[in-house]
Amino acid sequence: FSVRYYSTTYAQYLITFFNKWSFSGFHFPLVVSFFHMTIVSHVIWLYRTATKSVSEKDVITWGLFFKRVCPTAVAAAVDIGLSNWSFMYITVPMYTMCKSTTIIFILIAAIIFKLEKFKILSVVGNCADSIWSLLFTYNLPLNLWGFI
């Protein structure tokens, strides 16, 4: 378990530093994110088309797809695009600390999409964790536009 955990954690840091490096000279990170998501969606479509011929049963209906999958995909795309865009304005330590506060937004989205029941204790706990993470950003240089 620990080998898998640390390998994925280190891979996450490597991807973060790679994104910071790649977007330091190229100032169109939303275009890169758009093309990446387009390629991934085409690969998934090809995979589903190939596996559908083996099993003729559709696992998900179009209504369920547009109701559950599309909002999640749009939220993920916006998160990735804006995260890549933020590298132009903030440092990697600031990015890492701000990214750790996304648990609040995940909880809000889960409550809105009725994936999680509203519990005041979970809201207070998540807010406390996020505020604790933001306390460490006090001495870091802050560009408000990059933070937003």
Side-chain angles (χ1 to χ4, degrees):
F1 174 75
S2 62
V3 172
R4 285 184 296 172
Y5 173 76
Y6 286 114
S7 65
T8 56
T9 303
Y10 290 136
Q12 175 186 356
Y13 290 131
L14 287 174
I15 291 170
T16 300
F17 283 109
F18 174 75
N19 281 348
K20 177 68 174 173
W21 170 78
S22 64
F23 293 127
S24 63
F26 184 73
H27 300 291
F28 303 102
L30 295 178
V31 173
V32 172
S33 298
F34 171 77
F35 281 114
H36 176 260
M37 291 293 181
T38 303
I39 291 169
V40 167
S41 64
H42 281 87
V43 168
I44 290 171
W45 177 79
L46 285 171
Y47 174 77
R48 280 188 49 91
T49 304
T51 57
K52 188 176 180 181
S53 63
V54 174
S55 66
E56 292 294 324
K57 183 179 171 186
D58 254 348
V59 178
I60 189 169
T61 64
W62 284 107
L64 187 63
F65 178 79
F66 285 115
K67 185 178 179 182
R68 297 289 179 147
V69 175
C70 285
T72 306
V74 168
V78 168
D79 176 42
I80 292 168
L82 293 178
S83 294
N84 288 340
W85 194 14
S86 72
F87 281 126
M88 294 172 37
Y89 298 104
I90 60 176
T91 62
V92 172
M94 179 70 165
Y95 167 81
T96 305
M97 285 182 255
C98 291
K99 196 70 173 169
S100 66
T101 63
T102 58
I103 193 165
I104 292 174
F105 303 109
I106 293 170
L107 178 65
I108 291 170
I111 291 171
I112 289 172
F113 294 128
K114 295 183 174 42
L115 301 172
E116 179 86 19
K117 291 183 180 178
F118 178 79
K119 297 176 189 167
I120 193 69
L121 189 59
S122 64
V123 172
V124 169
N126 285 325
C127 288
D129 286 344
S130 296
I131 290 170
W132 179 254
S133 296
L134 283 176
L135 285 175
F136 292 104
T137 63
Y138 179 72
N139 291 328
L140 289 174
L142 174 65
N143 183 328
L144 188 60
W145 182 247
F147 179 73
I148 293 173

